[in-house]
């Protein structure tokens, strides 16, 4: 399957509008799809997105999925591995990166001050 993204040159991204809560995520975590799409039923596709946490928001369970995921923390703080009350875990600052293969458990996550992440998701083979 060819990469399912269109040719886009530099353009301003509206950081105020067009955000949505991804399925299964709590309120306060929102995504903005930049390019592409994932077909999780047929396990194909690629997607680039921004994911943002509002201050104080956290998840309570680890995530796992069947696609590759690359994550770059652009701004704010992100804690990985907190408990169900949002306590504990390892805190990270901007300019940190993760690459996860399919089936890798990760999280839970929280952000004290809020954060913005850039994420790439894709199935293998792309």
């Amino acid at each position: 399957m060819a990469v399912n993204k269109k040719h886009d040159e530099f353009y301003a991204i509206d950081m105020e509008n067009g955000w949505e809560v991804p399925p299964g995520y709590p309120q306060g975590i929102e995504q903005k799809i930049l390019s592409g799409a994932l077909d999780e039923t047929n396990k194909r596709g690629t997607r680039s997105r921004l994911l943002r946490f509002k201050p104080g928001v956290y998840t309570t369970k680890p995530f796992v999925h069947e696609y590759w995921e690359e994550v770059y923390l652009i701004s704010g703080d992100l804690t990985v591995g907190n408990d169900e009350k949002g306590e504990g875990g390892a805190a990270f600052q901007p300019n940190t990166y993760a690459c996860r293969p399919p089936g890798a458990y990760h999280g839970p996550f929280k952000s004290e001050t809020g954060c913005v992440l850039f994420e790439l998701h894709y199935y293998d083979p792309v």
Side-chain angles (χ1 to χ4, degrees):
M1 175 182 185
V3 174
N4 60 333
K5 295 183 177 185
K6 66 179 183 173
H7 178 169
D8 270 333
E9 291 295 335
F10 284 102
Y11 63 93
I13 296 173
D14 181 350
M15 295 299 286
E16 298 300 318
N17 301 300
W19 294 87
E20 62 185 13
V21 176
Y25 283 66
Q27 290 294 319
I29 301 176
E30 301 169 320
Q31 70 179 359
K32 177 185 271 293
I33 305 300
L34 300 175
S35 184
L38 283 185
D39 178 350
E40 293 187 53
T41 301
N42 295 304
K43 297 179 178 51
R44 54 187 200 194
T46 62
R47 170 175 68 197
S48 301
R49 76 175 182 180
L50 295 176
L51 189 72
R52 70 179 178 188
F53 283 59
K54 293 189 177 176
V57 173
Y58 61 91
T59 62
T60 59
K61 303 278 185 211
F63 289 81
V64 65
H65 39 73
E66 297 183 31
Y67 50 84
W68 282 89
E69 177 177 58
E70 297 184 54
V71 181
Y72 179 78
L73 179 58
I74 296 171
S75 64
D77 68 277
L78 183 70
T79 297
V80 180
N82 53 275
D83 64 19
E84 290 190 2
K85 295 179 184 176
E87 298 172 358
F92 296 92
Q93 298 300 313
N95 301 316
T96 54
Y97 168 82
C99 183
R100 302 181 183 110
Y105 282 83
H106 50 287
F109 301 102
K110 73 175 178 179
S111 181
E112 296 291 339
T113 63
C115 68
V116 176
L117 305 161
F118 174 71
E119 299 184 344
L120 296 173
H121 299 150
Y122 48 91
Y123 286 96
D124 189 13
V126 176

